Amino acid sequence: MALALRVARLASVPANCWPRDRRPLLHLCSSDSRNYATKPEAAAPPAQIKRNVAAEITSVGKVIYETGWDANKPTDKPKVQKPSSTSSPQPPQGAPEDEKRKELDTVKSKRDQMRDNMQDYIFTRYFNYVKNYDKVLEKNFPKAMQLYRVFFDGVKDFFGDMKRFLKIARIANDSPQGIRALNRQELELYMQMPRDMMKVAPALIGCSLPMVGYAFFPLVFYYPRSFLTAHFWTSQQRSEFQSYYMKRRLCNNKDVFRCLQAKLKATAAHPKHSAFADILGQLGSGTHPTPEMLIDVKDIFADGPYSLLGMSRKHVRNLVNLHGLPSSIFKRHRLHEHAFLVHYMDQAITREGGVHNLTPEALRYSCYLRGLNPDSLSSEAMIEWLRKWVKVSTSIQGEHITLFLHLPILLGYNHPNNWKTIYGKCPPLAGA
């Protein structure tokens, strides 16, 4: 309606003014196209003006149609471009930006992929190097890596045995039967582990200290017998150190035997005096008494000069060294504890089926613990000797504890292996 009124007003203007007033009309048609409407009852303009207005209205309607404007549903104002004489379609303005963005995304994805591949390659090589680092060190420093492996495996075995020891100690303390509830292996660990912990504690503490550990670590492995336990020894070292300790123990056999002979006269009033004198005579002549003979004279060790409280200090000290116990102020207490632990082991062996059910390694350790050198001994010889020991051990009571402590002498003083270990030759034959 407004457009029709303006067109009618302009129709009364002279014809010579059209070129000057045409510009406002075009501007009005392009900027305020939403208010344009046509009425059939408006005054008819000249033919030329009518054609121009129709063309403008037609172009504006085309733009409105293309933008999907709806008069009944108001929306945002559409942006109408000026009509151009040429109707050639223009390419969308966002197409170059999309292509550039795609190219940038492609370059970025390739760059990220290259970075990920590089990281995977670096980390893979690094982990392979770390995993095989011990092989590199072993190739360049074979002796150092050998010590490292021995120490690492020793620490692992040591802490594994320590955990087992704590469980065994809990069972021994909580069980109504006490130590008797343990089997042979548990009793062996229960007896040996406290000594090992006291021995290896300085080495573990010293090696863990900053700066000091670098100097203490070589010192520990330079003297493994003094600072370390069997957990850290090689097979060769175990054999050498076991022979060394066995020889040190067996060197006390003669001193203990002399103490028994020295106190023989003090038992003259005892009913078993003569029987025990015969036993000492057999030991002096190069033979051993039978288990039955030892069980028969067990009462002579219950009291008098052969009891635990009646023995002299020298006698007690020699017994401590004979059994390989650490020296301390309470030597008699250590002897008492050691005797009962080994006695419980003998009972456990009997419960588990006897000596013949032991493995060769268990046979060797059992003989070593009881004062017999197992080197170059057959399994049959070790079984025969252990049967004699177990028979005497399981036939005595607590008051005969000193008889048990003297069994390494009474059953092994003249054994060829022990004699050869001490003197380097076999013992002389009886009567020779």
Side-chain angles (χ1 to χ4, degrees), residues 291 295 298 342-351 355 370 386-398 400 403-404 407:
I295 295 172
K298 62 182 180 180
V342 180
H343 173 67
Y344 293 147
M345 290 180 199
D346 296 336
Q347 291 180 344
I349 290 174
T350 304
R351 290 195 307 267
V355 179
R370 290 160 178 81
L386 285 174
R387 280 176 176 170
K388 296 178 181 179
W389 178 288
V390 172
K391 185 175 183 180
V392 177
S393 174
T394 55
S395 301
I396 59 178
Q397 289 75 34
H400 310 130
L403 171 61
F404 185 91
L407 283 180

Side-chain angles (χ1 to χ4, degrees), residues 73-112:
K73 186 177 181 182
T75 58
D76 296 336
K77 295 181 180 180
K79 296 181 180 179
V80 180
Q81 298 180 356
K82 291 183 179 181
S84 58
S85 59
T86 59
S87 60
S88 60
Q90 298 180 358
Q93 297 180 357
E97 296 180 358
D98 294 340
E99 293 179 359
K100 291 181 180 180
R101 189 179 295 107
K102 289 182 180 178
E103 292 178 359
L104 291 175
D105 292 342
T106 303
V107 173
K108 186 177 180 181
S109 62
K110 290 182 178 179
R111 188 180 302 168
D112 294 341

Side-chain angles (χ1 to χ4, degrees), residues 254-270:
K254 190 173 183 179
D255 296 332
V256 175
F257 180 62
R258 292 288 183 258
C259 291
L260 288 175
Q261 290 178 327
K263 298 295 181 180
L264 181 61
K265 294 182 179 180
T267 62
H270 198 279

Side-chain angles (χ1 to χ4, degrees), residues 185-394:
Q185 293 180 344
E186 293 173 344
L187 284 168
E188 291 177 356
L189 185 64
Y190 183 80
M191 181 180 66
Q192 185 65 31
M193 199 59 196
R195 307 176 191 175
D196 290 347
M197 288 190 293
M198 293 296 295
K199 184 178 181 180
V200 81
L204 295 180
I205 295 174
C207 292
S208 62
L209 293 177
M211 303 303 294
V212 180
Y214 295 107
F216 201 78
F217 186 80
L219 181 65
V220 165
F221 276 94
Y222 194 75
Y223 299 100
R225 181 169 52 83
S226 302
F227 291 101
L228 299 176
T229 60
H231 303 89
F232 302 87
W233 297 340
T234 61
S235 301
Q236 183 180 359
Q237 288 176 338
R238 289 183 183 182
S239 178
E240 293 177 359
F241 297 160
Q242 185 176 3
S243 300
Y244 170 80
Y245 286 121
M246 192 77 245
K247 186 173 182 179
R248 285 186 56 183
R249 290 172 55 188
L250 294 177
C251 287
N252 296 276
N253 283 0
K254 190 173 183 179
D255 296 332
V256 175
F257 180 62
R258 292 288 183 258
C259 291
L260 288 175
Q261 290 178 327
K263 298 295 181 180
L264 181 61
K265 294 182 179 180
T267 62
H270 198 279
K272 299 296 181 180
H273 170 75
S274 58
F276 188 66
D278 293 340
I279 291 174
L280 294 181
Q282 289 182 1
L283 292 175
S285 62
T287 59
H288 294 100
T290 62
E292 291 77 13
M293 296 175 62
L294 295 176
I295 295 172
D296 183 59
V297 299
K298 62 182 180 180
D299 292 334
I300 202 172
F301 292 91
D303 51 10
Y306 295 140
S307 63
L308 189 60
L309 296 178
M311 290 188 299
S312 62
R313 293 182 180 179
K314 180 181 179 181
H315 197 167
V316 172
R317 184 176 65 253
N318 291 332
L319 282 176
V320 168
N321 296 332
L322 173 64
H323 291 279
L325 303 178
S327 299
S328 65
I329 301 175
F330 308 101
K331 294 182 176 62
R332 299 177 194 270
H333 172 72
R334 286 193 176 275
L335 288 172
H336 182 273
E337 183 182 20
H338 177 79
F340 271 93
L341 284 174
V342 180
H343 173 67
Y344 293 147
M345 290 180 199
D346 296 336
Q347 291 180 344
I349 290 174
T350 304
R351 290 195 307 267
E352 294 171 5
V355 179
H356 59 277
N357 287 331
L358 297 178
T359 62
E361 187 66 25
L363 284 172
R364 290 178 58 85
Y365 182 77
S366 298
C367 292
Y368 173 80
L369 182 63
R370 290 160 178 81
L372 176 65
N373 187 7
D375 292 343
S376 68
L377 275 182
S378 63
S379 298
E380 291 76 12
M382 290 187 287
I383 290 174
E384 182 182 358
W385 190 85
L386 285 174
R387 280 176 176 170
K388 296 178 181 179
W389 178 288
V390 172
K391 185 175 183 180
V392 177
S393 174
T394 55

